[in-house]
Amino acid sequence: MDKSLDLEGKIKAAHDHLRSCVLCPRNCGVDRLNGETGYCKTGKYAVIASYGPHFGEEQPLVGKNGSGTIFFGGCNLSCRFCQNYDISHEVRNGREVDQSTLATVMLELQGQGCHNINFVTPTHVVPQILGAYRHARDRGLDVPLVYNCGGYEKTETLKLLDGVISIYMPDFKFWDETSSTSYSDAPNYPAHARDALREMHRQVGDLRLNSRGIAEQGLLVRHLIMPNGIKESDKIIEFIATEISRQTYLNLMDQYRPCGTINDFPELNRSLTKEEYQAALQSAHTHNMQRLDSNDFRLLLKRLINLDD
Ligand code: SF4
């Protein structure tokens, strides 16, 4: 099936969900078309907090000209350690945009040479993205779309993006429900994240690069290693290795810093240690993961060389 032929149906189905919103696992049931808002605090229109070429993402997305990031206000997670609290939880300083305006932003980023359009925190605005994509495509958009999410997704909603999103970049944050409940107010996060990764990989497969090393299609997974969290990291890496693909592009992130409202959790009130990061790298090596982000790969090599000394 030519997936692009079905775009109108996908837009309609997604839009209909806004009447009694069950787009994500929160299942708020609110009428977002008539002024109600749910957990994500977002109504009929997407809110853009900021946008522009971004050079801090993974190298296959950044290339020479940057990744065209669009940061949305609102979020369906409440991570206590969130670094964007004012954007994600309070939806401050954003601008509501209709689909045509969102399309214009996408085209502006393409016009600046960005290698892709990178939707950051997109889960609660899937209908708006689909509608904007139709406008942008008709006006000449042809760079890949990146779905850069927290991993708290519904498979049914992801299916509406099949054939539209080229690159999925989910976080996989927690393996244990106790952690996801305490730190992100999402008891059923782990199961939804696992199902999301399966569906994303089914749609786009392992990450493929063009001859210039720029990502064209596929799955990248990010995992933020948490203080005292290596057991969960190991489970997550094992899951990716055995149930998704050992060729999954995996970024093990070591930049955890206490912020947001994390003071209530003493176990998370410090940065990651070097030993914890090295333990996560060792886990990736043990599970025979083949494609670590270049920074992780360099450090793993260094560690293995030192072990051999
Ligand atoms: S997208 Fe927002 S309103 Fe809809 S179910 Fe999720 S959190 Fe609730």
Side-chain angles (χ1 to χ4, degrees):
M1 182 181 83
D2 180 351
K3 291 168 179 170
S4 68
L5 291 177
D6 202 29
L7 182 59
E8 292 305 318
K10 287 174 173 161
I11 292 170
K12 182 174 182 322
H15 192 76
D16 286 348
H17 280 312
L18 292 174
R19 287 189 197 291
S20 177
C21 190
V22 288
L23 280 170
C24 85
R26 297 278 175 203
N27 291 327
C28 298
V30 294
D31 185 354
R32 293 174 55 184
L33 296 178
N34 283 300
E36 294 179 7
T37 54
Y39 198 94
C40 61
K41 298 183 180 160
T42 304
K44 179 176 179 182
Y45 296 106
V47 174
I48 294 182
S50 66
Y51 69 93
H54 190 39
F55 295 87
E57 304 285 58
E58 286 75 355
Q59 190 54 37
L61 297 180
V62 168
K64 197 170 147 206
N65 300 327
S67 177
T69 46
I70 301 176
F71 290 88
F72 290 111
C75 185
N76 70 338
L77 285 168
S78 281
C79 299
R80 306 292 290 268
F81 47 90
C82 182
Q83 296 180 346
N84 299 316
Y85 201 85
D86 54 335
I87 296 172
S88 300
H89 301 294
E90 311 213 335
V91 200
R92 286 200 300 250
N93 305 324
R95 176 168 65 114
E96 281 194 340
V97 290
D98 62 17
Q99 293 175 3
S100 175
T101 307
L102 180 53
T104 301
V105 169
M106 294 159 70
L107 289 162
E108 187 183 327
L109 292 168
Q110 176 175 273
Q112 291 177 35
C114 294
H115 301 288
N116 46 66
I117 304 300
N118 183 347
F119 299 115
V120 184
T121 323
T123 309
H124 56 299
V125 286
V126 164
Q128 294 86 344
I129 287 172
L130 282 168
Y133 167 68
R134 175 181 52 189
H135 285 279
R137 185 196 62 179
D138 292 349
R139 290 157 58 189
L141 186 83
D142 61 4
V143 293
L145 303 187
V146 183
Y147 190 85
N148 179 348
C149 69
Y152 195 40
E153 313 292 313
K154 256 187 169 175
T155 303
E156 298 90 326
T157 302
L158 292 173
K159 285 181 190 300
L160 297 173
L161 296 167
D162 194 359
V164 174
I165 295 295
S166 299
I167 299 165
Y168 282 103
M169 186 160 64
D171 294 329
F172 197 149
K173 296 173 186 284
F174 309 107
W175 185 260
D176 291 338
E177 290 192 352
T178 47
S179 300
S180 64
T181 304
S182 298
Y183 306 142
S184 292
D185 188 29
N188 53 1
Y189 175 92
H192 279 283
R194 285 192 291 271
D195 286 348
L197 261 63
R198 289 187 186 102
E199 172 60 20
M200 291 170 178
H201 190 258
R202 182 195 72 75
Q203 288 183 24
V204 297
D206 295 328
L207 191 69
R208 293 206 309 266
L209 311 182
N210 66 17
S211 57
R212 291 171 295 133
I214 307 293
E216 286 184 326
Q217 181 173 317
L219 176 68
L220 293 87
V221 180
R222 287 174 165 175
H223 172 60
L224 179 67
I225 309 157
M226 306 288 281
N228 301 300
I230 189 59
K231 281 189 187 152
E232 290 190 60
S233 294
D234 184 61
K235 289 284 189 191
I236 287 169
I237 293 166
E238 181 183 18
F239 166 78
I240 295 168
T242 56
E243 296 200 37
I244 303 298
S245 163
R246 289 194 163 84
Q247 292 293 334
T248 302
Y249 188 107
L250 176 63
N251 186 0
L252 294 170
M253 301 190 296
D254 65 346
Q255 60 261 51
Y256 176 86
R257 301 281 180 279
C259 57
T261 55
I262 209 65
N263 287 346
D264 304 343
F265 299 93
E267 69 277 19
L268 293 188
N269 206 4
R270 64 165 172 85
S271 299
L272 200 70
T273 64
K274 195 171 145 204
E275 289 72 25
E276 286 171 322
Y277 181 48
Q278 288 186 340
L281 292 178
Q282 182 61 49
S283 168
H285 179 62
T286 302
H287 294 298
N288 201 16
M289 291 298 296
Q290 299 291 307
R291 289 178 85 187
L292 292 186
D293 185 66
S294 54
N295 190 42
D296 295 332
F297 183 66
R298 196 166 40 76
L299 290 167
L300 177 59
L301 268 184
K302 202 169 152 204
R303 172 170 162 72
L304 291 175
I305 289 165
N306 288 339
L307 284 176
D308 288 344
D309 284 346

